[in-house]
Amino acid sequence: MTCRIHPSILSADFVNLEAELARIGSADAVHVDVMDNHFVPNLTLGLPVVERIQTVSPLPLDVHLMIADADRWAPLYAGAGLASVTFHAEAATAPIKLARELRARGSKAGMALRPVTPVEPYLDMLGELDMLLLMTVEPGFGGQAFLDVTLPKIRRARAAVDRSGARVAIQVDGGISASTIERAAEAGADVFVAGSAVYGAHDPEAAVERLRALAQAATRV
Ligand code: DX5
Ligand code: ZN
């Protein structure tokens, strides 16, 4: 399994995003957190800004939609040509239909679960997804502490993905740092979002490389 690191620009300087993107050249993609102050108690940016980021980003965009009414909004993001669009299962009324719509518009389809949302009801739809995002903090803010209580769910999801034979990445997001990434990797995650651990570092590129090496070493073959 290859471990990928997606820095979150939530912890970057929003006034200098183009320069901030240039500081993470060693990353595999850039994670963009869209929040609407309804699904989560925080507000970030919307589609026009995401589209503009895409035009200047050397890396593909991995957009994490923390917004209500995902059925309505997520397809518009996919239609903008983004590499990957992730909606929250809790915010979608028809997740299978929505995942198909994202793929039909040319994006990879991701589905996210809050820490307490069980993965089991969604196991039969793994084949509809390119990525399953298991939140390792409550969504809404960067800089929170990793929730170890999510580790058993990551293990169950990894076992189910391997059983299904579907090519579904398991992404973790929240509190990922040099002191937590090994636990998440050992449990079965293979895509790691890190905001403060990358942009809070003196050398973000080196931080990405260190995180990837730690994850890779902890990954079961
Ligand atoms: C939180 C966001 C995360 C956030 C992670 O709701 O989804 O992507 O940027 O930040 P850290 O890595 O600082 O926990
Ligand atoms: Zn995120």
Side-chain angles (χ1 to χ4, degrees):
M1 218 154 54
T2 307
C3 291
R4 289 176 280 160
I5 307 293
H6 293 190
S8 165
I9 52 165
L10 190 61
S11 298
D13 177 0
F14 269 30
V15 174
N16 297 300
L17 281 180
E18 191 170 7
E20 292 285 73
L21 291 169
R23 297 172 74 207
I24 53 166
S26 53
D28 298 284
V30 55
H31 184 85
V32 182
D33 290 301
V34 175
M35 307 186 192
D36 67 351
N37 199 33
H38 290 278
F39 183 71
V40 288
N42 196 6
L43 185 68
T44 53
L45 37 77
L47 185 54
V49 178
V50 174
E51 283 183 299
R52 183 73 188 116
I53 293 170
Q54 180 174 234
T55 63
V56 301
S57 176
L59 296 169
L61 265 53
D62 155 33
V63 178
H64 176 195
L65 299 176
M66 285 162 276
I67 59 175
D69 202 357
D71 308 78
R72 175 181 173 194
W73 295 110
L76 300 179
Y77 282 81
L82 302 171
S84 174
V85 175
T86 298
F87 63 89
H88 266 267
E90 304 90 346
T93 48
I96 296 172
K97 177 170 177 271
L98 181 52
R100 288 183 181 179
E101 221 169 313
L102 298 181
R103 282 177 161 180
R105 293 184 184 214
S107 282
K108 290 199 166 162
M111 189 177 75
L113 304 178
R114 286 176 178 272
V116 296
T117 304
V119 71
E120 282 71 20
Y122 301 99
L123 294 183
D124 287 341
M125 65 170 287
L126 284 177
E128 308 287 343
L129 299 173
D130 299 292
M131 188 164 78
L132 181 65
L133 164 49
L134 302 177
M135 290 302 300
T136 44
V137 298
E138 286 299 340
F141 300 92
Q144 302 180 72
F146 180 82
L147 295 172
D148 279 279
V149 72
T150 60
L151 289 169
K153 181 162 76 172
I154 300 170
R155 284 200 187 92
R156 294 197 301 275
R158 168 52 60 199
V161 166
D162 289 351
R163 256 196 325 268
S164 76
R167 289 169 60 91
V168 188
I170 298 182
Q171 185 179 66
V172 285
D173 181 9
I176 298 296
S177 70
S179 51
T180 59
I181 196 166
E182 290 161 298
R183 303 208 283 282
E186 191 279 326
D190 57 350
V191 181
F192 304 84
V193 175
S196 43
V198 170
Y199 277 107
H202 175 66
D203 181 346
E205 268 201 64
V208 166
E209 274 158 12
R210 173 151 186 249
L211 288 171
R212 191 190 287 112
L214 286 169
Q216 201 65 59
T219 297
R220 293 165 298 166
V221 278

